[in-house]
Amino acid sequence: MSNYHLDYLDELESESIHIFREVAGQFEKPALLFSGGKDSITLVHLALKAFRPGKFPFPLVHIDTGHNFPEALQFRDYLAEQIGEKLIVRHVEDTIKAKRLTEQKGKFASRNQLQTYTLLDTIEEFGFDACIGGARRDEEKARAKERIFSVRDEFGQWDPKRQRPELWNIYNGKIHKGENVRAFPISNWTELDVWNYIRREKIELPSIYFAHDREVLEYEGQYVAISDFIRIDETDVIVQKKVRYRTVGDMTCTAAVASNASTIEDIISEIIATKTSERGETRIDDKVSEAAMEDRKKNGYF
């Protein structure tokens, strides 16, 4: 008998590669949304396994809010150049000016809702019929509802009550004119799976994921990076803290966690010990309401 055996990371990797190839086979103009965060970096690594030695059958696309962490942007450009793949960047700032949109006000004013306009405009500009992203079901309850192939209507909207069955890893990518699909190759992964895979594959990451000294604002038990994008009040407590980021969104809505984890092994140990999801612990924008993420997704958010 053969001693060949797939461990759980091999199985997850195999499923993700299968999804990538299904996207490439079923759609005319897909795109891979790439922000320079750990999940999208993992997607790039999986895409290399799925399509090398050939080129990717899609470009990398980033919707830049203008509020990103510089470490993530630098790594985004570095990795795209290193692998020799096309990177398309579109800026929310340009959409705000062109459409005369009103930006959110307040202490941690976010461009997340406005980001949807830029994403939908980019899909229309290039005629993308599928966008691949790094969302995972363990992140947030709205994402837990979503299928691996998530169909959006001609307005980019998602209806959680009208999703297609995905039995026996069969994915239905048939769409009508104007519709598009959001595809999630690592939907079945957990945060711990991602970090175990990063360790096994020796995947390079931005330094922001590891413990570092940073000036932060202590606000309602969270540590928010000091930047030009948040409002500093006289009563605010600003401290120098050793922190790391579990997830990397905008500087205005992503909090750090206090940590001394300087290696991947340290980070994995912290994740095993925690009882809070990465978005639950660090994403300010998800705390607006119980259905904050689902509301954004219904309106076209990724």
Side-chain angles (χ1 to χ4, degrees):
M1 292 181 61
S2 171
N3 290 324
Y4 182 70
H5 172 70
L6 288 176
D7 72 11
Y8 85 100
L9 287 178
D10 293 324
E11 292 178 4
L12 289 172
E13 178 188 74
S14 179
E15 178 189 55
S16 298
I17 289 172
H18 169 66
I19 294 166
F20 264 113
R21 291 173 177 167
E22 282 292 303
V23 172
Q26 293 194 43
F27 298 97
E28 295 292 329
K29 295 195 71 176
L32 172 56
L33 298 189
F34 176 64
S35 64
K38 73 178 188 309
D39 295 315
S40 62
I41 292 168
T42 299
L43 286 183
V44 168
H45 185 83
L46 290 163
L48 289 169
K49 290 199 171 192
F51 302 112
R52 284 295 191 255
K55 298 285 285 183
F56 288 178
F58 41 69
L60 307 178
V61 175
H62 184 217
I63 306 302
D64 185 351
T65 64
H67 292 169
N68 300 100
F69 286 91
E71 296 96 327
L73 293 181
Q74 291 164 10
F75 196 90
R76 176 201 70 186
D77 296 339
Y78 157 75
L79 185 58
E81 182 178 1
Q82 185 183 59
I83 64 176
E85 296 292 344
K86 182 179 180 181
L87 173 64
I88 297 169
V89 180
R90 290 295 179 267
H91 300 275
V92 174
E93 183 73 36
D94 295 336
T95 307
I96 291 170
K97 293 176 181 177
K99 295 183 181 291
R100 298 182 179 180
L101 300 175
T102 301
E103 291 201 57
Q104 189 181 87
K105 306 298 183 183
K107 191 172 189 63
F108 303 114
S110 171
R111 287 179 171 175
N112 262 347
Q113 291 182 327
L114 303 184
Q115 187 178 10
T116 298
Y117 292 95
T118 310
L119 173 60
L120 297 179
D121 285 348
T122 304
I123 289 172
E124 182 178 3
E125 177 186 354
F126 293 96
F128 294 135
D129 51 4
C131 291
I132 305 162
R136 306 187 323 267
R137 289 191 175 115
D138 76 316
E139 291 181 274
E140 199 272 341
K141 57 188 177 183
R143 287 184 167 173
K145 294 180 182 180
E146 202 159 21
R147 300 289 192 263
I148 288 174
F149 273 23
S150 180
V151 179
R152 306 300 176 95
D153 66 20
E154 62 270 27
F155 303 106
Q157 296 175 325
W158 174 62
D159 184 350
K161 296 180 180 179
R162 298 182 61 189
Q163 298 194 80
R164 298 169 178 176
E166 293 178 339
L167 307 176
W168 306 292
N169 292 333
I170 297 174
Y171 307 110
N172 181 1
K174 184 177 181 180
I175 54 175
H176 299 291
K177 184 176 177 61
E179 295 178 337
N180 65 83
V181 165
R182 313 291 168 84
F184 305 111
I186 61 171
S187 184
N188 290 330
W189 297 41
T190 67
E191 181 187 14
L192 185 59
D193 294 335
V194 171
W195 279 103
N196 279 327
Y197 188 72
I198 287 168
R199 176 175 61 179
R200 189 185 81 170
E201 299 291 308
K202 298 179 172 58
I203 297 173
E204 191 176 358
L205 293 175
S207 60
I208 195 170
Y209 283 105
F210 302 92
H212 58 283
D213 290 320
R214 184 180 288 266
E215 193 175 35
V216 295
L217 164 65
E218 285 192 59
Y219 185 81
E220 296 183 355
Q222 294 185 311
Y223 301 113
V224 183
I226 298 300
S227 71
D228 295 335
F229 313 126
I230 66 172
R231 190 185 73 218
I232 305 296
D233 298 319
E234 290 183 2
T235 56
D236 285 337
V237 178
I238 298 173
V239 296
Q240 194 79 13
K241 195 85 174 175
K242 179 159 279 191
V243 298
R244 71 174 184 88
Y245 285 84
R246 290 179 68 183
T247 180
V248 178
D250 279 359
M251 296 183 77
T252 56
C253 60
T254 308
V257 295
S259 174
N260 291 311
S262 58
T263 67
I264 292 177
E265 286 75 16
D266 294 338
I267 291 171
I268 289 172
S269 296
E270 283 190 357
I271 295 169
I272 290 171
T274 189
K275 295 182 179 180
T276 310
S277 72
E278 56 192 304
R279 292 191 72 95
E281 185 174 19
T282 66
R283 293 303 290 265
I284 298 169
D285 49 337
D286 286 350
K287 300 181 185 297
V288 175
S289 73
E290 284 291 317
M293 171 65 81
E294 185 162 328
D295 290 341
R296 293 202 302 273
K297 291 175 82 66
K298 286 178 179 178
N299 291 325
Y301 185 75
F302 194 81

